[in-house]
Amino acid sequence: MHIDTPTLSVGRLLFLLVGCLLLAGPAVPVCAQEPEDVAIIRGFITDRTDGAPLPEANVVVRDSARIVRAGVSDSDGFYQLPDVPPGTYQFSVRYLGFETYRDTIRFRPGTRTLSVALRPAPQQLDEVTVEAQRDAVEDAQAGLRRIGTADIETLPTPGPGSDLAMYLRSLPSVTSIGDRGGRLFVRGGTPSQNLILVDGTPIKKPFHIIGFYSAFPADVISNANFYAGGFGARYLGRLSSVLDVNLRPGNLKEYQGRVEVGPFVTSVQAEGPVDYGEKSLLVNARHSVIEWAGPDLLGQETPYRFYDLMARLHTQGDKSQCAFTGMRTYDRGRIDASRPSSYRWSNTSVGGKCLSFGSGSSQRVYVSFGTSHFNNSVRTPDQDTRSSGSWDTHATLRIEQPYSWGRVRGGFWGRSTQFDYDFQGTFLGVQAEESFDISAGAFLGAEWNMGSTVTASPSIGTQFPIFWGTNTIEPRLRLAWQPPWAARTKITAAGGLYRQLTDAITDERDAGSPFIAWLQTPQDKALQSTHAILGVDHQLTPNVRLSLEGYHKTFRDLPVSEWSTLAVFNTSLTLADGFAYGGSASARFQTGRLDLRANYGFGWVEYEAPRDELNAWVDESPVEYNPPHDQRHKVGLTASLDLAPFSVSARWQYSSGRPFTQGYGTDNFLEIRGLRGRPRSERGNNRFLYDRQYNARLPSYHRLDVSIERAFTLSPDLTLTAEAGAINAYDRKNLFYLDLLTRERVDQLPIIPHIGFTLDID
Amino acid sequence: MLLPMAAPRPLPNRTAPPADGAWLRPCRPLRALCLALLGTLLLTAGCDTSVEAIVPSEDKHYSMFGALNPAQDTQWVRVEPLAAPTSDGAPRTLDVTVTLRNQATGQSWTLRDSLMAVFQDELQHNFWTTAPIQPDTPYRITVRNAEGDSTWATTTTPALPPDILVESPLRIPCLQTDGANVFNVRLEDVEEMAALQIRYFQTFQGFNYTFDFDSYDDATQVEGGYNAEINYLSDLETTNRTQDRRCIVDSAKVIAASGGPDWPEWAQYNDASVSEIARPDSFTNVEGGHGLVSGVYTDTAAVRIESRQ
């Protein structure tokens, strides 16, 4: 493995420090002393009607003059207020759409658990929303987008229902190749550099072959955090981005069901208490129908089939909360209906996570464990099959210790990964291989409130692949500053060093190919990236919020395909360095009835590699080029309007063309060496002749999606929601990909009118 | 729409929410942005969506692959138009004239086109002629179309075929011992070896079969020629008609070819992958296009078959 610094000793020190944190408590007073003269208040904030945790609820302790302590519940609904001076205070919990909980409580020294179940309030949407928006910049963080179900539901989707995939593709930081294949590029990174977690368990490729859908329909999500970069050392192992999805628990108190029918998918959902108020089960199953509906609806073949199945058991105790999640996704189809290459992929994952805290300690402990299997394959027109799979098993222990100045967090994880791939037929490079890796890691971080305006969150992580015999060291820092003279403005920054021990091969030249082969990094060199992000959020008026963010990333030792004229899957890799920079600007205008969003993203991605190692035939060395995900401009406009009883939404998106390799000819290469290629008996190798790779750009892309929705109350227990709309409303012929050999273009989906129904059963 | 609240912060000048019907008013500060985005929409809505995978070269028109061999009565050359899609086969019509010219005598022949399905139903234009090819003679083969674009290759045939010495017999049945199933071949009077192949003849279950194996990579250059050690067990095992590693073979022969004086110095390419020699800047003697048309001279020699005692 490539080592730059004497990392081993630092890594050992980090393991020791994290161990110290984990053991902290009465037994190890040196590491963390519990304050004995103050109160620590913690608990869960839940919805009284169904017991669901409420993330980001405001919890405030105040006396008659001022706020003494305030905090926000996390994604599990858990909050903790440390260092509260003993005394009698007003204790309040607020959450949008719920009645505010208020009580006068006397807090004694020590730790106290105080969980609150909020009661839904009659909605006064305009007023509440305005109040909420005024303070919204407080949760701004560099590179982070907090995604709630409501955010996803404002986008028109060929539902019924909405999906996280559609929302992610609308973000200015995300580049997608097209509406098929399920590959997302984030700020210069590639899909294999994205970490996707479902309730703490990594999953490789949860996006469906039709890009509107993923394994995450909006109505099974509690919340998701999407880091487009700059994430802390808690997330190790990927270079580019993190999507941390928390699924919602099933209803702890009532049985509910939902049936959705539409031209693309149908779904069934059921939930209810297993043990009233303490355990619940949520099951969601969704299956595509576009394969059957497409020919009638679109007048063309739509060979796409997918399904996803999710079951989640949730337990809620006084001092603990656990979730056990199983998920299965399957996709099969042909990206280009006119050609016989058939792709399929599947994910199967099972995992669990628990949060708990003891009576006498202020620490909270998170445990997660699970296993996930990914497999994908492609069958080519020549009936050759390429397949690749991976099997990950992980266990993570994380602990948080609050202090008066902030908190310290740390953790360990262990992971085993098995890769295998097998390429039949024509290919370049390796053909078949299996490998097995075991790695361990640790991180230590702090959140330090420096006065009332600055928060610094330094963290450091290490990864230790057992068979490599050495480790990485990854320091990171996140900063937030709310200037005292500009209460509606928040300036945030993030950066650090990122390493990745595994990567994936994909055919860069074939943008339409979703096939991906996971493997160890070439030459046992860990991929490396540095991130630097600076952002400003400003609440211009109570209704208008502006955000501006710039980033710069560097990359080192990225595996890229060598240049080749032969039209075969290319697994001959070399290492490239590179950089990416850009920024995004977004504006949001929001009232109770109207929500308008506009965003613009700019990006520049450039790789460079020595000419000879790249096997390139240009004069310069190193060779600099823009890879195929170098999308420069992206514009998104979204509007949703509540015109009771209807709600209307529309989204227009534009993106500039991505690089592709434009050639000057094709032929079939006959190998005269050894007289192996004989004109009368050999076809030769398909050859695409070009001067340099990625020397031209595809046409730009834009599309308008619209939808309208109305709910009908059929009975007190039955609600029917009808939804109609159109994808690609003005039928723009957006290029999906261009087959360079046959020169056939494959367009993205044409105008698709859709209608769908959702039946909710309470 | 439900939005979570962040921690409360008292703010001065609390603004009342806008009344119904007034929701457009706050858009005024964003008017410029709205107009700019609307303009972008209108501008791009009519953009051209066409894209070309190929922009034909002005100076490279055709690819040509083949060999001129004095030992053969018919010469074959594959011709493909670079500008036309060829991955699923060549276009059915190829309006070109292909000529072969003896540069020493000035004599010319026009090659005839043949549309062959060499792989599944993919068609290829293989041009052929029965013109007598002389040893040690320069030839030029030219492809010209009606527009006047031309592609040509010039090559000189070898003076002599290789002198093939099969230095040891092929012994059957094969043995399990490593190294026991080889025979040695020596090529003399060869400056550049163009090809080395072994052809096996089998009778299996009453049917006759012929298998060719490429042994080009088995040869090493030595003073005055090439030596090759042929492992016939590894060849015959792949035929799937050899039972219990007993090596069924009726007869065998060595086919070797010398390259002409302009034969590429493949030594520098011998370790190169097909991808590397298929680079557009790899060796070519084709002007105005890509490919390779070389002069070679083949000969054959029988391999003696012996039974083991």
Side-chain angles (χ1 to χ4, degrees):
Chain A
M1 183 193 160
H2 186 77
I3 307 173
D4 302 315
T5 53
T7 53
L8 196 57
S9 57
V10 182
R12 282 179 180 161
L13 179 63
L14 184 57
F15 271 92
L16 285 173
L17 287 172
V18 176
C20 194
L21 175 70
L22 293 174
L23 294 170
V28 189
V30 175
C31 292
Q33 282 187 311
E34 296 289 349
E36 295 178 354
D37 55 349
V38 295
I40 297 171
I41 321 299
R42 78 279 182 86
F44 292 101
I45 309 300
T46 56
D47 181 343
R48 178 181 289 269
T49 55
D50 59 10
L54 296 177
E56 299 192 47
N58 290 307
V59 185
V60 177
V61 172
R62 71 174 75 210
D63 59 20
S64 56
R66 63 186 179 92
I67 293 175
V68 176
R69 288 285 178 270
V72 179
S73 60
D74 65 12
S75 57
D76 300 308
F78 178 82
Y79 77 95
Q80 183 155 278
L81 303 178
D83 203 29
V84 178
T88 302
Y89 299 100
Q90 278 192 346
F91 176 78
S92 65
V93 180
R94 294 195 302 165
Y95 190 80
L96 187 68
F98 288 78
E99 290 179 359
T100 299
Y101 174 88
R102 290 188 180 87
D103 200 357
T104 301
I105 301 177
R106 183 178 182 190
F107 294 120
R108 302 175 188 278
T111 303
R112 176 168 180 179
T113 301
L114 188 56
S115 295
V116 176
L118 295 181
R119 193 189 306 272
Q123 224 169 43
Q124 296 175 314
L125 206 52
D126 284 353
E127 184 173 357
V128 176
T129 302
V130 169
E131 184 179 357
Q133 287 304 294
R134 226 183 353 247
D135 299 327
V137 294
E138 283 220 346
D139 68 352
Q141 289 191 37
L144 172 62
R145 180 69 67 116
R146 298 178 195 274
I147 304 167
T149 304
D151 300 312
I152 303 170
E153 288 177 340
T154 56
L155 296 177
T157 307
S162 305
D163 195 286
L164 180 61
M166 201 73 164
Y167 181 84
L168 292 174
R169 294 156 64 89
S170 74
L171 297 176
S173 54
V174 174
T175 297
S176 61
I177 292 296
D179 55 16
R180 276 156 279 176
R183 300 173 63 200
L184 300 180
F185 300 79
V186 181
R187 287 184 170 172
T190 61
S192 59
Q193 296 164 5
N194 300 330
L195 176 63
I196 302 171
L197 299 169
V198 186
D199 280 345
T201 297
I203 188 167
K204 284 282 192 306
K205 190 175 178 182
F207 301 105
H208 286 306
I209 192 167
I210 297 278
F212 310 140
Y213 302 101
S214 67
F216 311 120
D219 56 2
V220 303
I221 294 174
S222 171
N223 57 75
N225 286 336
F226 177 65
Y227 291 89
F231 41 93
R234 175 188 160 191
Y235 301 108
L236 291 169
R238 289 290 183 273
L239 289 192
S240 178
S241 73
V242 174
L243 176 64
D244 190 352
V245 180
N246 291 296
L247 302 179
R248 73 173 178 87
N251 195 319
L252 283 159
K253 298 183 177 177
E254 293 178 353
Y255 294 101
Q256 286 182 311
R258 170 175 283 188
V259 178
E260 295 179 323
V261 181
F264 279 82
V265 293
T266 59
S267 72
V268 179
Q269 187 180 101
E271 61 186 299
V274 176
D275 184 358
Y276 184 86
E278 294 187 354
K279 295 186 180 71
S280 71
L281 182 66
L282 168 66
V283 178
N284 190 79
R286 193 164 56 160
H287 201 293
S288 64
V289 293
I290 187 64
E291 192 169 30
W292 300 283
D296 293 332
L297 188 66
L298 306 175
Q300 66 183 53
E301 196 181 358
T302 47
Y304 316 113
R305 178 182 292 187
F306 60 87
Y307 69 77
D308 52 74
L309 178 64
M310 186 277 291
R312 189 178 197 266
L313 178 67
H314 174 84
T315 68
Q316 180 71 55
D318 292 338
K319 294 184 172 63
S320 68
Q321 184 188 84
C322 292
F324 303 92
T325 306
M327 181 171 278
R328 162 83 179 168
T329 76
Y330 173 83
D331 288 79
R332 190 266 293 151
R334 305 199 305 273
I335 297 297
D336 175 2
S338 66
R339 297 183 71 81
S341 286
S342 174
Y343 298 88
R344 66 183 65 204
W345 67 85
S346 63
N347 294 276
T348 307
S349 76
V350 180
K353 65 171 187 176
C354 280
L355 156 66
S356 70
F357 47 89
S359 305
S361 168
S362 59
Q363 292 170 350
R364 51 180 150 158
V365 177
Y366 296 85
V367 177
S368 70
F369 52 88
T371 184
S372 63
H373 180 257
F374 170 71
N375 187 60
N376 74 155
S377 64
V378 54
R379 183 177 289 274
T380 69
D382 299 337
Q383 298 305 304
D384 293 328
T385 300
R386 298 193 294 266
S387 63
S388 167
S390 67
W391 192 307
D392 295 279
T393 303
H394 81 101
T396 302
L397 176 64
R398 187 158 55 89
I399 195 162
E400 287 190 15
Q401 172 75 47
Y403 291 94
S404 58
W405 48 267
R407 58 183 168 170
V408 174
R409 61 175 77 177
F412 288 117
W413 52 259
R415 182 180 302 143
S416 70
T417 305
Q418 181 177 339
F419 306 106
D420 62 84
Y421 51 88
D422 188 1
F423 308 142
Q424 297 174 6
T426 50
F427 63 91
L428 295 176
V430 293
Q431 184 173 16
E433 196 166 297
E434 281 188 9
S435 60
F436 181 72
D437 271 346
I438 298 177
S439 57
F443 83 96
L444 186 63
E447 189 175 295
W448 185 13
N449 299 315
M450 305 163 74
S452 60
T453 61
V454 177
T455 302
S457 303
S459 59
I460 187 168
T462 181
Q463 301 180 72
F464 183 64
I466 304 296
F467 299 134
W468 291 18
T470 186
N471 65 306
T472 67
I473 288 294
E474 302 169 51
R476 301 171 188 180
L477 177 64
R478 300 180 62 81
L479 292 168
W481 178 41
Q482 199 150 12
W485 64 89
R488 293 175 176 177
T489 301
K490 189 172 184 182
I491 299 169
T492 57
L497 179 64
Y498 300 80
R499 308 296 290 268
Q500 182 166 331
L501 307 178
T502 60
D503 200 32
I505 310 174
T506 187
D507 199 338
E508 284 183 354
R509 298 169 305 172
D510 184 359
S513 172
F515 178 74
I516 191 166
W518 285 88
L519 73 171
Q520 288 175 314
T521 54
Q523 303 168 29
D524 279 355
K525 277 189 173 180
L527 286 61
Q528 179 172 307
S529 179
T530 61
H531 297 186
I533 303 174
L534 180 64
V536 180
D537 280 72
H538 179 64
Q539 196 73 41
L540 185 66
T541 74
N543 303 98
V544 178
R545 177 171 173 174
L546 304 175
S547 299
L548 197 63
E549 191 168 279
Y551 69 91
H552 185 275
K553 291 181 178 180
T554 64
F555 307 110
R556 212 171 78 187
D557 298 329
L558 299 183
V560 297
S561 298
E562 294 177 4
W563 286 23
S564 174
T565 57
L566 300 183
V568 293
F569 184 59
N570 188 353
T571 59
S572 294
L573 304 178
T574 190
L575 300 179
D577 295 339
F579 64 84
Y581 65 84
S584 59
S586 60
R588 184 170 188 176
F589 166 75
Q590 192 175 27
T591 69
R593 295 183 182 279
L594 179 66
D595 186 0
L596 295 175
R597 279 181 275 181
N599 59 57
Y600 167 73
F602 169 78
W604 184 298
V605 192
E606 192 168 304
Y607 286 177
E608 70 168 38
R611 178 189 55 211
D612 293 342
E613 292 178 22
L614 199 58
N615 198 22
W617 45 86
V618 290
D619 292 333
E620 78 265 21
S621 184
V623 180
E624 297 173 351
Y625 66 99
N626 303 111
H629 55 282
D630 174 42
Q631 190 170 68
R632 293 288 162 79
H633 306 281
K634 185 173 181 180
V635 177
L637 301 173
T638 305
S640 61
L641 180 60
D642 183 8
L643 293 169
F646 294 97
S647 62
V648 182
S649 63
R651 180 171 72 128
W652 182 80
Q653 52 190 319
Y654 164 87
S655 55
S656 57
R658 293 176 291 101
F660 81 105
T661 302
Q662 192 174 51
Y664 60 83
T666 55
D667 68 358
N668 289 285
F669 177 78
L670 288 173
E671 189 182 354
I672 300 300
R673 178 177 62 173
L675 298 181
R676 290 160 174 161
R678 297 163 184 266
R680 292 178 65 199
S681 56
E682 306 289 335
R683 178 184 66 168
N685 291 302
N686 287 155
R687 186 164 66 154
F688 181 75
L689 295 156
Y690 55 91
D691 290 324
R692 65 180 301 136
Q693 285 197 346
Y694 310 121
N695 54 353
R697 286 196 177 259
L698 297 171
S700 60
Y701 160 93
H702 51 86
R703 191 180 86 190
L704 176 69
D705 303 336
V706 293
S707 74
I708 183 167
E709 184 181 296
R710 179 177 179 177
F712 302 89
T713 303
L714 305 180
S715 75
D717 296 334
L718 284 179
T719 305
L720 178 70
T721 305
E723 179 188 320
I727 293 296
N728 194 4
Y730 53 82
D731 201 20
R732 158 88 176 186
K733 291 193 181 307
N734 289 306
L735 181 75
F736 178 34
Y737 80 94
L738 186 64
D739 188 317
L740 298 177
L741 285 174
T742 64
R743 300 169 207 193
E744 290 173 9
R745 63 177 287 157
V746 178
D747 284 331
Q748 302 196 35
L749 294 173
I751 180 171
I752 304 177
H754 56 88
I755 184 166
F757 300 95
T758 301
L759 183 65
D760 285 298
I761 308 158
D762 290 325
Chain B
M1 165 177 169
L2 297 178
L3 287 165
M5 292 185 294
R9 171 181 290 274
L11 288 174
N13 304 324
R14 183 171 179 149
T15 307
D20 279 354
W23 49 266
L24 272 176
R25 209 173 297 147
C27 193
R28 280 175 190 158
L30 296 175
R31 183 176 296 166
L33 179 63
C34 294
L35 289 174
L37 294 174
L38 186 62
T40 305
L41 190 152
L42 294 173
L43 264 176
T44 53
C47 280
D48 183 15
T49 64
S50 64
V51 60
E52 298 294 339
I54 296 289
V55 176
S57 167
E58 293 182 355
D59 55 3
K60 293 185 175 65
H61 309 290
Y62 297 94
S63 76
M64 303 162 61
F65 288 97
L68 301 179
N69 187 351
Q72 289 186 340
D73 57 3
T74 307
Q75 315 301 321
W76 295 89
V77 176
R78 168 85 55 83
V79 176
E80 288 183 284
L82 294 178
T86 52
S87 62
D88 294 333
R92 186 163 282 276
T93 59
L94 185 59
D95 189 15
V96 296
T97 301
V98 182
T99 56
L100 175 69
R101 185 174 187 273
N102 183 322
Q103 296 287 76
T105 64
Q107 190 177 5
S108 288
W109 298 266
T110 300
L111 279 69
R112 297 175 63 181
D113 191 4
S114 67
L115 199 55
M116 290 182 166
V118 294
F119 177 75
Q120 296 176 352
D121 56 351
E122 295 179 14
L123 301 174
Q124 296 294 345
H125 292 274
N126 290 325
F127 288 77
W128 59 278
T129 179
T130 56
I133 302 299
Q134 303 299 322
D136 198 18
T137 304
Y139 288 91
R140 171 170 290 184
I141 190 159
T142 304
V143 180
R144 191 182 303 278
N145 64 17
E147 288 76 38
D149 300 326
S150 61
T151 299
W152 67 93
T154 306
T155 187
T156 300
T157 53
L160 294 169
D163 187 6
I164 306 171
L165 303 174
V166 182
E167 296 182 324
S168 55
L170 186 159
R171 293 187 177 90
I172 54 175
C174 294
L175 299 180
Q176 302 291 339
T177 316
D178 286 343
N181 307 298
V182 298
F183 64 90
N184 296 302
V185 176
R186 178 170 172 77
L187 307 181
E188 294 184 344
D189 299 329
V190 181
E191 287 194 11
E192 289 292 340
M193 183 187 70
L196 178 62
Q197 293 172 348
I198 312 300
R199 179 168 294 169
Y200 300 94
F201 299 91
Q202 277 185 353
T203 303
F204 186 74
Q205 296 180 346
F207 293 93
N208 296 322
Y209 299 95
T210 303
F211 298 99
D212 287 342
F213 286 89
D214 180 12
S215 294
Y216 182 79
D217 292 336
D218 296 329
T220 54
Q221 192 163 19
V222 295
E223 188 173 349
Y226 288 79
N227 283 346
E229 187 178 80
I230 309 300
N231 185 333
Y232 54 89
L233 173 60
S234 64
D235 289 347
L236 292 168
E237 276 183 335
T238 61
T239 66
N240 291 324
R241 292 184 178 85
T242 291
Q243 293 176 328
D244 302 327
R245 301 163 64 94
R246 287 190 299 111
C247 290
I248 297 170
V249 54
D250 302 330
S251 61
K253 66 180 180 181
V254 176
I255 305 166
S258 298
D262 53 8
W263 181 257
E265 292 196 10
W266 287 111
Q268 63 176 303
Y269 296 103
N270 274 352
D271 293 331
S273 65
V274 179
S275 176
E276 287 169 320
I277 64 170
R279 287 166 47 148
D281 64 341
S282 181
F283 175 84
T284 180
N285 63 347
V286 176
E287 302 284 337
H290 285 289
L292 183 64
V293 180
S294 282
V296 299
Y297 205 157
T298 56
D299 202 355
T300 63
V303 180
R304 198 169 69 252
I305 310 291
E306 283 186 0
S307 295
R308 294 182 195 272
Q309 295 301 319

